[in-house]
Amino acid sequence: MKTVTQRVQYASVSIDGKEMARIEKGLLILIGIEDRDTTEDIEWLTKKLVNLRIFDDKDGIMNLSVKEIEGEVMIVSQFTLQASTKKGNRPSYIRASKPEKAVPMYESFCKEMEIQLGKKVATGTFGADMKIELLNDGPVTILIDSQNKE
């Protein structure tokens, strides 16, 4: 699983001009799933994201997690995170899981994130043409690959 996690002041997702979900201060997590991802990746990644210390403490130092600030989380599936640009100029998405695998993994990821966070998370709609609006705070943007665990 690959994620792009952004610390946001707010984020919203719209489909066909209608806002489907919105969060205030917290994390916008874009997630790309590949066939080799497992429940162990879900567990490792959700714990990592919930406890990632990227919010400022009272001294202005990034020392607090989204859980500690009681922030909100939005999770949006994005198969293009699995793009390969090795050959030519047209990305290949061969590594991205097909919906039969990706949908249950995405749903499990969202459910585990809710357990780790202790509250509901906002989501996009899997496979929909979504428009995401956000105000990146910092900006702080973190890339994480559960297959690389760096």
Side-chain angles (χ1 to χ4, degrees), residues 99-116:
E100 306 80 55
K101 161 111 180 173
V103 170
M105 291 292 285
Y106 172 73
E107 290 171 351
S108 293
F109 181 87
C110 292
K111 194 172 292 183
E112 184 63 25
M113 183 62 80
E114 288 177 343
I115 291 167
Q116 294 292 327

Side-chain angles (χ1 to χ4, degrees), residues 26-74:
L27 300 177
L28 169 62
I29 301 169
L30 306 174
I31 182 168
I33 299 165
E34 64 180 304
D35 285 343
R36 64 183 175 163
D37 292 329
T38 66
T39 56
E40 287 81 21
D41 293 291
I42 291 171
E43 291 168 10
W44 180 83
L45 194 50
T46 55
K47 285 178 186 171
K48 177 66 73 177
L49 291 166
V50 165
N51 295 299
L52 201 60
R53 294 172 17 184
I54 59 172
F55 291 91
D56 293 349
D57 63 17
K58 63 180 173 42
D59 297 320
I61 297 171
M62 287 196 285
N63 203 28
L64 300 173
S65 69
V66 69
K67 189 171 185 172
E68 290 170 312
I69 67 155
E70 298 180 2
E72 297 182 282
V73 172
M74 179 181 288

